[in-house]
Amino acid sequence: MAQQSDENYLTTAEVARRLNVKPETIYAYVSRGQLTSVRARGRRGSLFAAADVERLAGRSVEHPGVVERIETELSLLQDDELYYRGRLASELATTSTVESVAHLLWTGELAEQDPFPAPPESVALARAAMNVAPSSARMTDQLRIAVAVLGAGDPLRFGLAPESVMAAARRLLGVLVDALPGETTVGTLGARLWPKVSTQPPQPAVLDAALILLADHGLAVSTIAARVAASARANLYSVVSAGLGALDGHYHGAATTLAYKFLERALQDPVEALSDQLRSGEPVPGFGHRIYQQRDPRAEALFELLADSPALHSIQNLTEKVPGFPNSDLAVAAMMHTHGFRPDAGEALFAIARIIGWTAHALEEYAEPGLRFRAAGIYTGLPISAGPDAPRQRRP
């Protein structure tokens, strides 16, 4: 039992004030194992270790506006570098498989992994769902439909234990890639994706590297959407669906397609393409970044894999004339042109890669208190109408 005078312990009322919550919420934390209570000697009530309370407060639990502060151990963007759990993503892209990097993001351990499984019955279900889409549907539309149907077909989808979530993620990634139109093959995820996006001779190392480099990137808007869904204890399929919904915006996932179309024009005439873009008043697709200051390390890593391609020469020409630096969207676009990818393959590649990251963020969020994303709204609408008993004003 703790001593009443022990300064290392706080009363229930003191904890409630420190965390800005109601007293009953504190006991919910106790039941979840996030706080430990001890009996106060010589008086009624419980005491709580101040260090535990401060640690919980530092995680911004149930504070209004918590969406602005989300702690994560997954990726770090610092000094124009990208790290996954302390490891350079650009090095992982050329030394590890997609499957092992996914395991690193999900568990913190980098180890060789088997290919993602794709049960035939699940592939058939996903393919049937994709076939329902109209002929104008993009690959990302097919992925979105398949994720929803696969979730509906998984009776164990509500299991949120880490092993259950990771098993579902492995299966989902394997099934989605194998179900896409095109030849089905074996190997790493990049090897399996290649015949779905290109008819040229396979170079799976290029796709594996791109999938690794795009797997996670801090708290992008789609990642926040995925974490909000996970905070409500949505299952993995719903978490991925939330991420895919945010990814579909033209400020996010569509950036690769815009870069692809711009580069297509630049391959014909870089000066004319740049002139037309500048005349439109819109930013030049594929250049600059909100976070990186001088370089995008993901783009540089992908450029090194493209060797002496015409697309790379066009980008070098453009870089001499455009303020800023090429980003990953332009690098993916260059990869697509170099290897004859489908025009909509860039967004699909981005979506498949991010499922790895969204799963990692979901695992983190499932370990946090539920429903912690509750930003305070500031009402700016019409004044409240007077009730029926309020005196009416007489017209002049």
Side-chain angles (χ1 to χ4, degrees):
M1 282 192 254
Q3 296 287 348
Q4 283 183 311
S5 59
D6 193 340
E7 295 180 357
N8 293 322
Y9 286 85
L10 301 175
T11 66
T12 301
E14 290 171 333
V15 174
R17 286 194 297 270
R18 177 66 184 91
L19 298 180
N20 193 26
V21 298
K22 297 178 180 179
E24 51 266 32
T25 303
I26 297 170
Y27 293 100
Y29 293 157
V30 173
S31 66
R32 296 171 186 157
Q34 294 170 297
L35 280 179
T36 301
S37 63
V38 295
R39 300 298 301 173
R41 179 174 297 174
R43 62 177 180 178
R44 297 178 60 185
S46 300
L47 295 178
F48 304 85
D52 292 344
V53 175
E54 287 304 315
R55 182 170 60 252
L56 198 57
R59 291 161 65 182
S60 302
V61 178
E62 295 192 11
H63 289 185
V66 67
V67 70
E68 298 177 3
R69 291 184 59 195
I70 303 174
E71 294 185 356
T72 177
E73 298 179 354
L74 301 177
S75 62
L76 171 67
L77 287 69
Q78 181 175 285
D79 298 329
D80 284 354
E81 290 288 2
L82 171 63
Y83 301 86
Y84 292 159
R85 292 191 181 270
R87 298 172 181 264
L88 273 172
S90 56
E91 290 184 2
L92 291 170
T94 56
T95 59
S96 302
T97 64
V98 181
E99 292 79 4
S100 62
V101 173
H103 190 72
L104 169 68
L105 285 169
W106 297 344
T107 69
E109 177 187 0
L110 183 64
E112 289 298 321
Q113 299 293 308
D114 293 332
F116 294 137
E121 63 277 10
S122 297
V123 173
L125 177 62
R127 191 167 289 156
M130 292 178 178
N131 289 337
V132 172
S135 58
S136 59
R138 301 162 299 157
M139 293 180 74
T140 48
D141 295 323
Q142 294 174 317
L143 292 173
R144 189 177 300 106
I145 295 169
V147 169
V149 172
L150 289 169
D154 184 357
L156 303 180
R157 63 187 180 275
F158 297 108
L160 302 184
E163 283 303 324
S164 299
V165 173
M166 289 187 287
R170 293 187 188 99
R171 188 169 57 250
L172 178 62
L173 284 159
V175 168
L176 287 177
V177 170
D178 282 8
L180 285 169
E183 179 187 352
T184 299
T185 185
V186 296
T188 65
L189 200 64
R192 293 156 70 178
L193 182 59
W194 187 278
K196 312 291 185 174
V197 298
S198 175
T199 58
Q200 292 189 7
Q203 295 192 34
V206 175
L207 265 183
D208 281 328
L211 287 165
I212 290 170
L213 291 166
L214 299 176
D216 193 44
H217 203 246
L219 295 173
V221 61
S222 59
T223 301
I224 293 177
R227 289 195 75 128
V228 170
S231 177
R233 296 303 181 259
N235 63 72
L236 179 69
Y237 302 92
S238 296
V239 167
V240 170
S241 293
L244 287 171
L247 190 71
D248 202 38
H250 65 270
Y251 284 133
H252 196 13
T256 301
T257 299
L258 295 175
Y260 174 85
K261 292 180 177 179
F262 171 69
L263 185 55
E264 185 175 36
R265 300 194 303 273
L267 282 168
Q268 302 300 319
D269 189 330
V271 175
E272 182 179 357
L274 181 57
S275 176
D276 290 344
Q277 188 66 33
L278 294 173
R279 186 177 182 183
S280 73
E282 296 294 326
V284 179
F287 281 87
H289 199 273
R290 289 178 177 269
I291 297 175
Y292 300 121
Q293 300 300 309
Q294 303 295 331
R295 54 185 283 271
D296 185 335
R298 302 168 300 171
E300 292 186 356
L302 286 176
F303 287 150
E304 290 182 3
L305 299 175
L306 299 182
D308 198 31
S309 72
L312 197 55
H313 284 296
S314 291
I315 290 174
Q316 291 169 346
N317 192 346
L318 290 168
T319 302
E320 296 172 358
K321 301 175 176 63
V322 178
F325 51 89
N327 60 33
S328 63
D329 297 319
L330 194 60
V332 170
M335 178 183 67
M336 293 169 64
H337 281 291
T338 299
H339 297 292
F341 284 10
R342 293 175 43 154
D344 60 346
E347 291 185 43
L349 171 66
F350 194 16
I352 292 167
R354 281 298 161 93
I355 291 174
I356 297 172
W358 296 335
T359 299
H361 283 273
L363 288 165
E364 277 197 333
E365 198 57 47
Y366 289 147
E368 296 286 350
L371 294 175
R372 68 189 186 118
F373 295 97
R374 188 62 172 88
I378 301 174
Y379 180 72
T380 60
L382 296 172
I384 299 174
S385 300
D389 299 328
R392 297 184 178 181
Q393 291 183 339
R394 294 184 178 181
R395 294 184 178 179

